[in-house]
Amino acid sequence: MKLVDVEYQFDGNKITFYFTSEGRIDFRELVKDLAGVFRTRIDLRQIGVRDEARRFDGMGMCGRRLCCATFLKDFEPVTLKMAKDQNLPLTPSKISGACGRLMCCLDYELEYYKDLTKDIPKIGSKIRVFGGEHRIEKVDIFNRTVILSDAEKNQVEVKLEVLQEELRKEPDAAKGDKGNGDAKAGR
């Protein structure tokens, strides 16, 4: 058991102890002892690590106050797939929040990333553009660029708008066989 926070009501009728713990613990005897010491109603509440971070507050990796302490009311499940979909490094220190779990912002930024990348071929897909077959090596959605490589492994960086225009020119530019790494434009 790790004690996180204590709230004492102004009228003195109740003290609430917030704690974290790996599993469920029976604290009936502890509650009786605390009630005897403080001579008031005692409430023990187990909270999760995200709620603990919310209570402590702090600064996130982005330099702003923790989302859970400012505007997030409910904690939605956050998965590693969300980080993969956003092309983030899967290094735990880069994608973990103050609570030690995956950052909550991975969830609410996901739709924005999906919207930005919906018309971009997936990394690893082969496309026929600029008079030859190329493989998508890297997509930088913020700079709006794509790095392509040809059969000789020569790489070229292309503006996303130029690539999309080229894909519209050639009707069979994007192949749809996902079994061999090829993919259609879009996700």
Side-chain angles (χ1 to χ4, degrees), residues 93 99 105 169 175 177 186:
S93 63
C99 60
C105 58
K169 285 181 189 176
K175 298 178 182 179
D177 183 13

Side-chain angles (χ1 to χ4, degrees), residues 3 11 16 22 41 52 59 71 75 123 129 134 166 173 181 186:
L3 184 63
D11 61 5
T16 305
E22 291 294 320
R41 193 170 137 221
E52 178 184 9
M59 302 298 280
F71 63 89
F75 296 115
I123 294 173
V129 289
H134 294 82
E166 186 72 18

Side-chain angles (χ1 to χ4, degrees), residues 75-184:
F75 296 115
E76 298 295 326
V78 181
T79 65
L80 203 53
K81 184 181 181 322
M82 293 174 179
K84 287 179 183 178
D85 288 347
Q86 296 174 48
N87 293 324
L88 293 173
L90 300 181
T91 310
S93 63
K94 300 274 187 191
I95 58 175
S96 296
C99 60
R101 301 261 174 99
L102 290 172
M103 291 188 292
C104 295
C105 58
L106 294 177
D107 179 40
Y108 64 81
E109 291 178 353
L110 182 62
E111 288 306 313
Y112 177 70
Y113 279 92
K114 283 184 176 181
D115 188 48
L116 282 177
T117 59
K118 70 179 179 223
D119 296 326
I120 303 172
K122 290 184 180 180
I123 294 173
S125 63
K126 293 179 182 172
I127 57 175
R128 187 170 305 283
V129 289
F130 306 117
E133 190 171 280
H134 294 82
R135 183 176 187 269
I136 305 286
E137 297 294 335
K138 183 178 178 186
V139 176
D140 185 344
I141 59 172
F142 296 111
N143 291 323
R144 310 278 302 155
T145 60
V146 176
I147 295 180
L148 304 173
S149 67
D150 60 14
E152 289 82 38
K153 304 290 184 212
N154 298 320
Q155 293 189 346
V156 61
E157 186 172 5
V158 179
K159 285 284 187 193
L160 187 56
E161 293 77 21
V162 173
L163 178 65
Q164 288 172 330
E165 183 63 35
E166 186 72 18
L167 286 170
R168 281 190 285 272
K169 285 181 189 176
E170 299 196 30
D172 63 339
K175 298 178 182 179
D177 183 13
K178 294 183 181 176
N180 65 3
D182 296 343
K184 287 190 176 191

Side-chain angles (χ1 to χ4, degrees), residues 3-18 40-43 45 55:
L3 184 63
V4 174
D5 199 5
V6 178
E7 287 180 355
Y8 187 57
Q9 287 186 347
F10 287 119
D11 61 5
N13 284 338
K14 182 169 93 171
I15 300 175
T16 305
F17 293 89
Y18 296 93
T40 188
R41 193 170 137 221
I42 301 295
D43 187 17
R45 292 211 179 155
R55 290 192 156 278

